[in-house]
């Protein structure tokens, strides 16, 4: 596999991503959408998820396609970002047709960033407006690092962020990932700058350091955050023609990317979850081999995206953690 043209999830043709942030709030919203509805499912492995409309994505539920996916800061308040995205879609005449009515289908998930040093003394929930702004900003090119829902993200040791990566496979399919890294665990090994995801790095996309020459002795991790303060949320996407059942399996396989890139992951304190999306533009050429390859690719691309999100984070006034770029 090789990176796509932009090494972003939008290398999956037809997908666009929009970011909006409030620097004073130290939080933001990221939206993935497309010009037409697309298929999606989800798999949750963390112990403290925060979600909206994820039940619709189960293989046995009525709605087969959605209009957008939302990743947001703000804990439960951030779920209201979906309202703003729905408003933007409604203004564009988008949505699931029910008679003469149209209802935009916008599942979402949140990370906890309420104790990251930003000004949270607001009277009106800021997330609907951030959601609408993010939807309006959706483009093929977008920022990673301290952007969108990754604006105020933190990890066990370093500032987190919004990450993305892509891969073009030998079978002609494309896989991309988009992730908000706000984990209890660490993306780097011990006290150093080497990323756990190093074995899967392509073209020095997060520093090219490889693995450290010597690993620290194994230790039992101690939580650096309290219950509900963490969570890493992601989207993996492909141009393959996959139904919701196949996408649920893709999301499940992609969780290996969290385990490769974050230590520890899937803890009781994290709400780790992964959406899987498909534009359906390319039929599977081999119904046995292609899903096998897609699952491996999804995990690999997601591990790279996690490292890229932390690698791209930038310092800001009031930060409670250093950035990877500040380490020596």
């Amino acid at each position: 596999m090789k990176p796509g043209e932009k090494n972003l999830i939008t290398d999956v043709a037809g997908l666009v991503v929009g970011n909006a942030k409030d620097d004073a709030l130290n939080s933001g919203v990221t939206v993935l959408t497309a010009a037409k509805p697309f298929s999606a499912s989800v798999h949750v492995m963390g112990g403290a998820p925060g979600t909206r409309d994820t039940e619709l994505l189960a293989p046995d539920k009525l709605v087969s396609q959605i209009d957008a996916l939302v990743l947001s800061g703000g804990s439960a308040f951030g779920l209201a970002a979906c309202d703003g995205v729905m408003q933007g879609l409604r203004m564009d005449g988008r949505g699931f047709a029910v008679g003469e009515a149209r209802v935009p289908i916008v599942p979402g998930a949140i990370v906890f960033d309420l104790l990251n040093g930003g000004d949270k003394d607001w009277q009106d929930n800021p997330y609907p407006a951030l959601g609408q702004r993010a939807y309006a900003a959706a483009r093929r090119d977008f920022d990673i690092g301290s952007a969108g829902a990754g604006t105020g993200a933190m990890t066990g040791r370093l500032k987190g962020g919004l990450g993305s990566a892509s891969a073009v496979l030998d079978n002609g399919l494309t896989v991309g990932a988009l992730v908000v890294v706000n984990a209890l665990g660490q993306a780097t090994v011990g006290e150093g700058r080497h990323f756990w995801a190093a074995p899967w790095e392509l073209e020095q996309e997060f520093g090219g350091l490889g693995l450290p020459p010597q690993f620290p002795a194994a230790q039992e991790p101690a939580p650096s955050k309290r219950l509900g303060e963490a969570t890493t949320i992601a989207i993996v996407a492909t141009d393959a023609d996959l139904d919701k059942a196949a996408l649920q399996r893709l999301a499940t396989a992609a969780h290996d990317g969290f385990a490769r890139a974050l230590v520890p992951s899937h803890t009781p304190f994290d709400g780790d979850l992964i959406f899987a999306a498909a534009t359906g533009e390319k039929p599977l050429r081999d119904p046995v081999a292609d899903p096998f390859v897609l699952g491996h690719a999804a995990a690999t691309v997601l591990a790279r995206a996690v490292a890229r999100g932390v690698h791209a984070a930038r310092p800001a006034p009031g930060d409670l953690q250093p950035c990877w770029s500040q380490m020596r």
Side-chain angles (χ1 to χ4, degrees), residues 4-26:
E5 177 189 357
K6 297 181 180 296
N7 202 14
L8 298 172
I9 195 171
T10 50
D11 285 324
V12 176
L15 296 182
V16 289
V17 170
N19 286 326
K21 67 175 182 175
D22 182 323
D23 287 325
L25 183 68
N26 200 19

Side-chain angles (χ1 to χ4, degrees), residues 44-50 110 230-233 267-273:
V44 182
M45 286 189 68
I110 49 85
T231 291
T232 299
I233 52 178
T267 77
F269 297 81
D270 290 285
D272 294 346
L273 68 81

Side-chain angles (χ1 to χ4, degrees), residues 13 23 29 35 58 64 70 99 114 189 208 210 244-245 289 307 309:
D23 287 325
V29 174
S64 61
V70 174
L114 298 180
V189 181
K244 290 202 293 183

Side-chain angles (χ1 to χ4, degrees), residues 9 16-22 25 27-33 38 40-44 49-52 54 57 66-86 105-113 126-135 142-145 147-153 161-165 176-182 231-237 258 271-277 302 305-306 309:
I9 195 171
V16 289
V17 170
N19 286 326
K21 67 175 182 175
D22 182 323
L25 183 68
S27 187
V29 174
T30 296
V31 175
L32 180 137
T33 188
F38 54 93
S41 192
V42 66
H43 190 258
V44 182
T51 62
R52 170 165 160 164
T54 50
L57 304 180
I66 66 170
D67 298 293
L69 288 167
V70 174
L71 308 179
S72 180
S75 189
F77 299 106
L79 294 175
C82 297
D83 293 339
V85 178
M86 287 183 69
I105 308 298
V106 185
I110 49 85
V111 299
F112 186 100
D113 60 3
Y127 288 96
L130 285 168
Q132 191 164 1
R133 280 174 48 199
Y135 171 75
F142 61 95
D143 291 335
I144 63 172
T151 298
L162 182 72
S164 191
L178 180 70
V179 60
V180 182
V181 188
N182 189 62
T231 291
T232 299
I233 52 178
I235 304 168
V236 294
F258 282 168
D272 294 346
L273 68 81
I274 299 173
F275 294 105
L302 183 52
V306 168

Side-chain angles (χ1 to χ4, degrees), residues 237-254:
T238 179
D239 51 5
D241 185 9
L242 302 179
D243 61 17
K244 290 202 293 183
L247 285 169
Q248 188 176 70
R249 174 50 47 190
L250 186 69
T252 303

Side-chain angles (χ1 to χ4, degrees), residues 17-291:
V17 170
N19 286 326
K21 67 175 182 175
D22 182 323
D23 287 325
L25 183 68
N26 200 19
S27 187
V29 174
T30 296
V31 175
L32 180 137
T33 188
K36 61 182 182 180
F38 54 93
S39 302
S41 192
V42 66
H43 190 258
V44 182
M45 286 189 68
T51 62
R52 170 165 160 164
D53 283 347
T54 50
E55 282 298 314
L56 286 174
L57 304 180
D60 63 332
K61 298 302 185 288
L62 173 66
V63 174
S64 61
Q65 294 187 311
I66 66 170
D67 298 293
L69 288 167
V70 174
L71 308 179
S72 180
S75 189
F77 299 106
L79 294 175
C82 297
D83 293 339
V85 178
M86 287 183 69
Q87 177 65 11
L89 287 160
R90 181 176 181 273
M91 292 170 64
D92 286 343
R94 298 279 303 276
F96 181 73
V98 184
E100 295 182 359
R102 285 192 172 271
V103 182
I105 308 298
V106 185
I110 49 85
V111 299
F112 186 100
D113 60 3
L114 298 180
L115 300 178
N116 64 2
D119 180 9
K120 307 302 192 293
D121 189 26
W122 37 265
Q123 299 300 311
D124 297 317
N125 189 332
Y127 288 96
L130 285 168
Q132 191 164 1
R133 280 174 48 199
Y135 171 75
R139 303 287 187 275
R140 192 174 171 211
D141 288 298
F142 61 95
D143 291 335
I144 63 172
S146 303
T151 298
M154 300 193 296
T155 71
R157 178 166 160 261
L158 296 172
K159 192 171 179 179
L162 182 72
S164 191
S166 70
V168 179
L169 311 183
D170 291 342
N171 61 11
L173 300 175
T174 300
V175 178
L178 180 70
V179 60
V180 182
V181 188
N182 189 62
L184 183 146
Q186 294 187 182
T188 50
V189 181
E191 300 299 317
R193 304 176 76 229
H194 298 79
F195 286 98
W196 286 110
W200 295 276
E201 184 176 15
L202 296 179
E203 299 181 2
Q204 300 187 349
E205 60 194 331
F206 43 86
L209 299 180
L211 288 171
Q214 183 173 354
F215 283 83
Q219 296 180 341
E220 294 185 16
S224 58
K225 301 181 182 181
R226 294 170 293 183
L227 183 65
E229 289 184 10
T231 291
T232 299
I233 52 178
I235 304 168
V236 294
T238 179
D239 51 5
D241 185 9
L242 302 179
D243 61 17
K244 290 202 293 183
L247 285 169
Q248 188 176 70
R249 174 50 47 190
L250 186 69
T252 303
H255 274 282
D256 286 352
F258 282 168
R260 293 173 185 177
L262 294 166
V263 179
S265 57
H266 305 128
T267 77
F269 297 81
D270 290 285
D272 294 346
L273 68 81
I274 299 173
F275 294 105
T279 61
E281 295 299 318
K282 295 183 179 179
L284 299 182
R285 294 188 292 186
D286 187 327
V288 175
D290 285 349

